[in-house]
């Protein structure tokens, strides 16, 4: 975002679904003024403690009070899949200045283009045992183009830049446990089993992830 001139000193950022502030902090450190919207009271409290310079609104992206033309940049960092986009996209459009942008990114856990690791094979076995009870993964989770179409289909935004980052990270057994605990479709027993799999594979596993970054430009006129 710095390369595209979107993140700079003095820029006014609206961050939706801010969580504990993993993206909030770097934006503040870049000199941005960040208004962070987070519906979870516990998460919002942690965000405020970590980054007291952020203005924190405890509310959802769908209902938070957002002034018109008050922000230069909106950000959804690993949060857009929780939104009702039919409601949120028009609200972001109104909250942004005429030449504003909306940056969206999320992590795909398990790069589909990479060969499955022994750990990923164990994870696949756990998921397979759910049978028909396993919730389907959203198509846009792997299909960045589908997500772009979803974000631009209403006419409020046009795609300005799309990029995909492949990356790896080594995680310990405890980190695997903590990470999988955050997945809403995983039971506590399944999380424990994933952690045991990491332990039996040496206590550390190499995870390959994919992160699509979508930068959208605010459309001037929206036809309804």
């Amino acid at each position: 975002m710095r390369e595209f001139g979107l993140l700079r000193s003095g820029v006014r950022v609206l961050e939706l679904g801010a969580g504990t502030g993993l993206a909030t902090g770097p934006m503040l450190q870049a000199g941005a003024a960040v208004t962070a919207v987070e519906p979870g009271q516990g998460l919002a409290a942690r965000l405020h403690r970590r980054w007291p310079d952020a203005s924190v609104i405890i509310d959802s992206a769908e209902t938070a009070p957002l002034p018109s033309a008050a922000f230069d940049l909106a950000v959804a960092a690993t949060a857009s899949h929780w939104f009702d986009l039919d409601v949120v996209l028009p609200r972001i459009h109104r909250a942004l200045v005429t030449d504003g942008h909306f940056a969206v990114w999320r992590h795909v856990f398990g790069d589909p283009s990479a060969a499955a690791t022994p750990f990923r094979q164990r994870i696949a076995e756990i998921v397979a045992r759910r049978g028909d009870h396993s919730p389907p993964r959203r198509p846009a989770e792997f299909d960045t183009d589908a997500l772009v179409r979803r974000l631009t289909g209403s006419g409020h935004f046009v795609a300005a830049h799309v990029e995909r980052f492949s990356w790896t990270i080594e995680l310990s057994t405890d980190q695997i446990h903590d990470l999988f605990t955050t997945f809403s479709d995983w039971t506590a027993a399944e999380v424990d089993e994933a952690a045991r799999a990491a332990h039996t594979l040496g206590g550390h596993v190499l995870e390959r992830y994919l992160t699509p970054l979508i930068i959208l430009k605010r459309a001037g006129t929206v036809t309804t």
Side-chain angles (χ1 to χ4, degrees), residues 27-197:
M27 290 191 292
L28 288 169
Q29 292 168 341
V34 181
T35 297
V37 176
E38 169 51 48
Q41 292 190 4
L43 295 175
R46 290 177 62 187
L47 188 158
H48 181 67
R49 288 195 298 269
R50 293 176 69 182
W51 305 109
D53 289 339
S55 176
V56 180
I57 299 174
I58 304 176
D59 208 334
S60 71
E62 291 81 3
T63 58
L66 303 177
S68 299
F71 301 97
D72 307 295
L73 173 67
V75 168
T78 68
S80 63
H81 56 293
W82 296 110
F83 300 161
D84 181 346
L85 292 177
D86 292 334
V87 175
V88 172
L89 290 174
R91 303 190 84 236
I92 297 174
H93 185 270
R94 288 192 296 271
L96 289 172
V97 296
T98 301
D99 59 347
H101 290 79
F102 179 27
V104 177
W105 68 89
R106 65 172 304 179
H107 303 316
V108 177
F109 294 97
D111 185 343
S113 66
T117 62
F119 177 71
R120 274 288 147 189
Q121 291 172 351
R122 300 279 188 92
I123 296 304
E125 292 170 2
I126 296 171
V127 173
R129 290 202 300 270
R130 298 174 182 171
D132 295 335
H133 300 291
S134 177
R137 301 190 82 168
R138 301 168 187 261
E141 190 170 4
F142 288 133
D143 190 343
T144 303
D145 294 335
L147 180 56
V148 172
R149 290 193 296 270
R150 181 72 181 90
L151 292 168
T152 59
S154 66
H156 292 90
F157 294 91
V158 295
H161 180 77
V162 179
E163 192 166 355
R164 298 169 181 83
F165 299 92
S166 297
W167 52 284
T168 60
I169 184 171
E170 186 177 82
L171 299 173
S172 68
T173 298
D174 289 342
Q175 288 173 317
I176 286 292
H177 189 278
D178 290 345
L179 174 63
F180 277 70
T181 299
T182 69
F183 299 161
S184 58
D185 57 339
W186 277 68
T187 67
E190 289 174 335
V191 170
D192 290 341
E193 187 173 356
R196 286 196 300 272

Side-chain angles (χ1 to χ4, degrees), residues 9-32:
S9 180
V11 71
R12 298 166 298 172
V13 177
L14 170 65
E15 185 185 3
L16 298 172
T20 61
L22 291 178
T24 312
M27 290 191 292
L28 288 169
Q29 292 168 341

